Amino acid sequence: MAQLVIDNITKAFGAVEVLTDISLQIGDGEFLVLVGPSGCGKSTLLNLIAGLESITSGELLIGESVVNDLSPKNRDIAMVFQSYALYPSMTVRQNITFGMDVRGVPKVEQREKVQEVADLLQIGQLLNRRPAQLSGGQRQRVAIGRALVRDPKLFLFDEPLSNLDAKLRVEMRTEIKQLHQRLGTTIVYVTHDQIEAMTLATKIAVMNGGVIQQFGTPQDIYDNPTNVFVAEFIGSPPMNIFPGKVCSDGNSAEIQTKKSGNVVLELDRCEARDMIAPGQEILVGVRPEAFSNQAPLGAEGNVQTVDLIIDVVEPTGPDDLVIIELGGKEVVARLEPQSCAPETVSTLLIDKTKLALFDADTERNLLQS
Amino acid sequence: MISRILIYASLIVLAVIFLLPLWVLIITSLKDLDEIYAGGIMDLPQNPSLQAWARAWGTVCVGLNCTGLKAFYANTFMMAIPSVFLSTFFGAILGYILIKWRFKNSELVFGLILFGAFMPFQAILIPVSQTLSYMGVRDPVLSLIIIHTTYGIPFTTLFFRNYYVTFPDELVNAALIDGAGFFRIFFKILLPVSTPIIVVAVIFQFTGIWNDFLFGVSFASGKDVPVTVALNNIVNVTTGRKQYDLDMAAAVLAALPTLLVYIVAGKYFLRGLTAGSVKG
Ligand SMILES: Nc1ncnc2c1ncn2[C@@H]1O[C@H](COP(=O)(O)OP(=O)(O)OP(=O)(O)O)[C@@H](O)[C@H]1O
Ligand SMILES: [Mg+2]
């Protein structure tokens, strides 16, 4: 039973501050994903939680107690490392039992535990091999097994799937999700892959430059990104962002395009419509799936049509990714397959309720300011 | 093809040049004295005999002790084995600390340790002997063990530190989370994968200590001197005709252990020297 509370944590290496005022809280059994570009401080935050690095300021609670000064072994955590960190000179079995040996768990109990995780992770036939004789996926399973025998309060995963090929990654993702559903242990999971974040998490913290940009449920982050960074980081393809200017009626925005003339987007169903003033420069955000060229996309009043020239069509199978230009930016629309051709004019429907508006200067979502 | 031939030809020429002294040493040791004085240095022995070798090993007089080199072999082994073991062990521990338990100024400390590797031995002879007498150490074997261990540590520390740089921190972190402490991490996790660099350190230390003359001649005397000093005494203190056959046999005998070490473990030595630079 463990919640995790990170209260105003800052981490500096010498004079360099790599984490600034990190605060978040998850309840028992939640799956927190830390996601962000390389170098944003995800691993550092995870190492702080593990106790492998010291906290410069702020407080860290696992369960009910402050663990700032507790050594890693006393935090009741288990960690799976990016490189798996299997002990090279030991067999799989010895890797799994090493921690139990240190803690003086009786041999009989050790054997039971090994059997248990070996069955769960299907590594029974690998127990006498050394790490060098295992494939990437098998190593990863062993690394998870080593963590599982601990039965900890908190699991920490540092990019455990990043070394795997695409197919195996998807498989292991599902396995990790199933594992979490079965065990119900609290998990903190680091990745820079937003799809992993979306599929696994109950809560996501999007980080950039040592700061949490947004913390919330995956759906919330997807639907209401707090700023352009989050909007462009989450989603595949990500949200389209392009500049526009609020028209004199204060209820629509004019977008300049090179080929299709000026386009007027109606903002009357947009949640942020009260936050804008005529003449204001804004950034408009539209998810690819908010476009369509097939009626109906939603209730009558929520849809507007625009005529746009198609630049490129990229078929993916289930749908076509169609690239158009708006406000000087490439905009991707997800449309029915084979529904339009490049270099032609197409009438696109836009779901007006799905438009997000951002301040042109601060890049913050207008709803948040 | 031409370039292959050229490469092999030059390698063979170089090998011959380097092996020539050893060759002369060996054939001379097999000749008898008259033949040596009569013939050319490169002539093959007429009636090869191991008689000079037997004398060098078993009966030749070194100073007052007519026991041959074999007694001095024992002297050298007695100081070399503990010194090699201790300096390798401490180098491994220090390298481990300097890399995996970094502390404030640990790089500076490493720099200072390295400084010891560039210290000319002659410069520290007197301070060392003063320190040893201050410590109350009189025993020549113990003195030499202390000196060789101390002066080996900078080198072995360098070897192990550079080897452990490539050892992933994540493994140490994983062991920390598993609850392992300083020594358990060292003995259970790092040491089992350190064989290549242990071989390097052992060979380097063993040959260095075996071949040492300066400390041996300074801190031991009489029947306690190491084999290098004994060899010197054999070669230098002869009356009458210089006994080249005996000198040559003794020289080869004195060099034999280090030669053997290179022949047996040479390929591990090369492998270990390059192990740090190429990952995996
Ligand atoms: N020991 C250290 N000393 C100084 N700076 C460090 C140290 N460890 C990490 N950093 C810096 O802190 C920042 C965050 O590093 P961190 O490893 O947490 O990034 P990350 O988000 O995990 O990146 P990645 O996705 O590439 O793993 C980086 O700019 C890094 O250079
Ligand atoms: Mg990282």
Side-chain angles (χ1 to χ4, degrees):
Chain A
M1 298 290 111
Q3 56 161 4
L4 171 70
V5 182
I6 297 173
D7 187 13
N8 228 342
I9 281 186
T10 293
K11 172 67 185 175
F13 289 108
V16 191
E17 203 166 280
V18 296
L19 290 175
T20 311
D21 290 342
I22 304 284
S23 288
L24 55 81
Q25 179 164 6
I26 53 168
D28 180 43
E30 286 214 74
F31 197 128
L32 167 66
V33 173
L34 305 174
V35 67
S38 191
C40 70
K42 308 178 295 287
S43 299
T44 306
L45 182 54
L46 203 67
N47 288 343
L48 291 182
I49 298 172
L52 297 168
E53 298 276 3
S54 64
I55 296 169
T56 307
S57 72
E59 242 177 27
L60 178 71
L61 282 84
I62 298 176
E64 299 304 321
S65 45
V66 177
V67 296
N68 279 39
D69 299 321
L70 231 50
S71 65
K73 65 168 192 266
N74 295 327
R75 293 193 182 192
D76 202 1
I77 50 166
M79 187 156 171
V80 178
F81 292 85
Q82 178 165 1
S83 63
Y84 312 138
L86 299 178
Y87 309 127
S89 61
M90 301 184 197
T91 63
V92 167
R93 181 190 300 280
Q94 289 166 329
N95 263 281
I96 294 175
T97 56
F98 181 74
M100 294 193 283
D101 271 337
V102 175
R103 276 174 276 128
V105 176
K107 289 280 177 210
V108 183
E109 196 182 327
Q110 288 192 15
R111 212 164 300 137
E112 280 168 16
K113 287 259 187 186
V114 169
Q115 203 50 52
E116 216 172 282
V117 299
D119 290 345
L120 183 68
L121 299 168
Q122 296 163 18
I123 49 173
Q125 72 288 3
L126 308 175
L127 288 174
N128 294 319
R129 295 210 203 154
R130 283 181 205 286
Q133 301 164 312
L134 302 177
S135 74
Q138 290 169 332
R139 278 179 214 185
Q140 203 242 357
R141 256 182 278 225
V142 174
I144 293 178
R146 188 171 66 178
L148 281 183
V149 289
R150 177 112 198 213
D151 197 9
K153 279 194 199 148
L154 193 60
F155 271 122
L156 307 175
F157 288 87
D158 192 355
E159 307 205 26
L161 305 185
S162 60
N163 287 338
L164 306 181
D165 65 49
K167 183 164 172 290
L168 198 54
R169 196 179 311 172
V170 175
E171 281 173 24
M172 293 307 296
R173 198 167 74 200
T174 312
E175 284 192 28
I176 289 177
K177 184 143 189 166
Q178 282 173 348
L179 207 63
H180 177 244
Q181 286 167 356
R182 203 167 336 164
L183 301 172
T185 313
T186 317
I187 292 180
V188 183
Y189 184 105
V190 165
T191 180
H192 57 249
D193 178 352
Q194 58 87 24
I195 298 181
E196 257 172 51
M198 292 297 289
T199 50
L200 290 172
T202 61
K203 291 278 173 58
I204 293 180
V206 183
M207 298 175 62
N208 190 31
V211 177
I212 292 190
Q213 303 291 317
Q214 188 167 7
F215 173 60
T217 64
Q219 199 62 50
D220 184 35
I221 286 179
Y222 190 80
D223 292 337
N224 306 302
T226 50
N227 56 30
V228 170
F229 176 83
V230 176
E232 288 185 325
F233 196 82
I234 299 289
S236 156
M239 184 182 264
N240 301 295
I241 309 276
F242 47 87
K245 188 173 187 178
V246 180
C247 303
S248 52
D249 63 1
N251 223 354
S252 54
E254 189 176 49
I255 318 295
Q256 298 185 341
T257 75
K258 293 196 189 88
K259 294 184 198 160
S260 314
N262 285 0
V263 174
V264 173
L265 285 182
E266 297 161 13
L267 303 180
D268 55 330
R269 297 299 158 91
C270 174
E271 272 188 90
R273 63 185 169 272
D274 298 333
M275 310 289 182
I276 51 176
Q280 185 182 350
E281 302 280 349
I282 54 170
L283 295 171
V284 182
V286 194
R287 293 255 173 228
E289 61 274 17
F291 290 95
S292 166
N293 52 359
Q294 229 77 38
L297 192 75
E300 186 92 9
N302 290 344
V303 177
Q304 91 165 98
T305 60
V306 281
D307 290 335
L308 291 167
I309 293 179
I310 310 289
D311 285 338
V312 180
V313 177
E314 295 176 346
T316 65
D319 35 39
D320 282 1
L321 297 181
V322 171
I323 296 169
I324 49 196
E325 182 258 340
L326 283 172
K329 303 279 182 190
E330 265 188 13
V331 168
V332 179
R334 193 188 288 278
L335 303 178
E336 287 287 307
Q338 295 173 354
S339 58
C340 48
E343 310 293 343
T344 61
V345 178
S346 185
T347 303
L348 299 186
L349 308 170
I350 298 178
D351 184 344
K352 292 191 286 184
T353 63
K354 296 275 171 66
L355 296 179
L357 304 183
F358 300 89
D359 188 291
D361 297 323
T362 64
E363 299 199 338
R364 290 183 63 81
N365 193 322
L366 289 179
L367 282 174
Q368 319 266 328
S369 43
Chain B
M1 191 61 211
I2 299 281
S3 67
R4 288 238 129 213
I5 293 172
L6 226 71
I7 288 171
Y8 279 106
S10 42
L11 284 177
I12 289 168
V13 168
L14 284 174
V16 167
I17 291 175
F18 285 118
L19 286 175
L20 207 56
L22 184 65
W23 174 245
V24 171
L25 220 58
I26 290 172
I27 55 171
T28 309
S29 72
L30 299 175
K31 297 175 188 171
D32 67 40
L33 257 192
D34 293 332
E35 194 183 342
I36 293 172
Y37 279 95
I41 189 169
M42 296 298 286
D43 297 347
L44 287 177
Q46 243 101 68
N47 340 294
S49 120
L50 284 173
Q51 182 255 345
W53 287 67
R55 275 211 299 146
W57 177 250
T59 59
V60 71
C61 296
V62 182
L64 301 173
N65 308 288
C66 295
T67 50
L69 272 183
K70 63 174 187 294
F72 302 93
Y73 250 63
N75 288 346
T76 299
F77 272 118
M78 251 159 49
M79 64 126 192
I81 288 171
S83 307
V84 168
F85 176 80
L86 289 173
S87 58
T88 303
F89 179 76
F90 285 123
I93 290 268
L94 281 171
Y96 164 62
I97 294 174
L98 287 170
I99 283 303
K100 300 301 174 198
W101 298 84
R102 284 172 209 254
F103 48 93
K104 209 166 170 249
N105 293 332
S106 53
E107 287 299 301
L108 179 71
V109 170
F110 176 59
L112 290 175
I113 293 176
L114 258 198
F115 196 65
F118 301 114
M119 189 86 75
F121 285 167
Q122 291 82 347
I124 46 97
L125 271 182
I126 291 170
V128 163
S129 86
Q130 280 175 338
T131 309
L132 285 174
S133 73
Y134 180 76
M135 287 162 65
V137 177
R138 302 251 175 281
D139 183 63
V141 172
L142 187 58
S143 301
L144 288 174
I145 290 174
I146 293 173
I147 294 169
H148 286 306
T149 301
T150 312
Y151 286 96
I153 284 173
F155 295 98
T156 53
T157 304
L158 173 69
F159 293 155
F160 280 96
R161 179 197 173 275
N162 289 355
Y163 186 74
Y164 289 149
V165 163
T166 60
F167 189 85
D169 284 342
E170 283 195 343
L171 283 171
V172 176
N173 286 344
L176 280 175
I177 288 180
D178 268 339
F182 180 88
F183 284 107
R184 198 191 293 256
I185 293 175
F186 177 69
F187 284 109
K188 291 276 179 167
I189 307 217
L190 271 88
L191 213 52
V193 294
S194 305
T195 318
I197 202 68
I198 291 175
V199 172
V200 169
V202 166
I203 294 182
F204 187 88
Q205 283 302 96
F206 182 77
T207 50
I209 294 171
W210 186 276
N211 289 331
D212 164 68
F213 179 78
L214 182 67
F215 288 127
V217 82
S218 312
F219 291 93
S221 59
K223 63 176 184 20
D224 294 325
V225 298
V227 73
T228 44
V229 179
L231 173 66
N232 175 69
N233 295 350
I234 293 173
V235 173
N236 280 344
V237 192
T238 38
T239 47
R241 268 209 308 188
K242 210 155 178 33
Q243 315 232 345
Y244 283 116
D245 56 341
L246 182 75
D247 295 353
M248 301 295 166
V252 177
L253 277 175
L256 212 53
T258 53
L259 264 179
L260 283 180
V261 163
Y262 271 111
I263 290 168
V264 172
K267 69 167 186 270
Y268 300 101
F269 187 65
L270 280 179
R271 207 178 292 163
L273 278 182
T274 51
S277 51
V278 190
K279 201 158 181 199

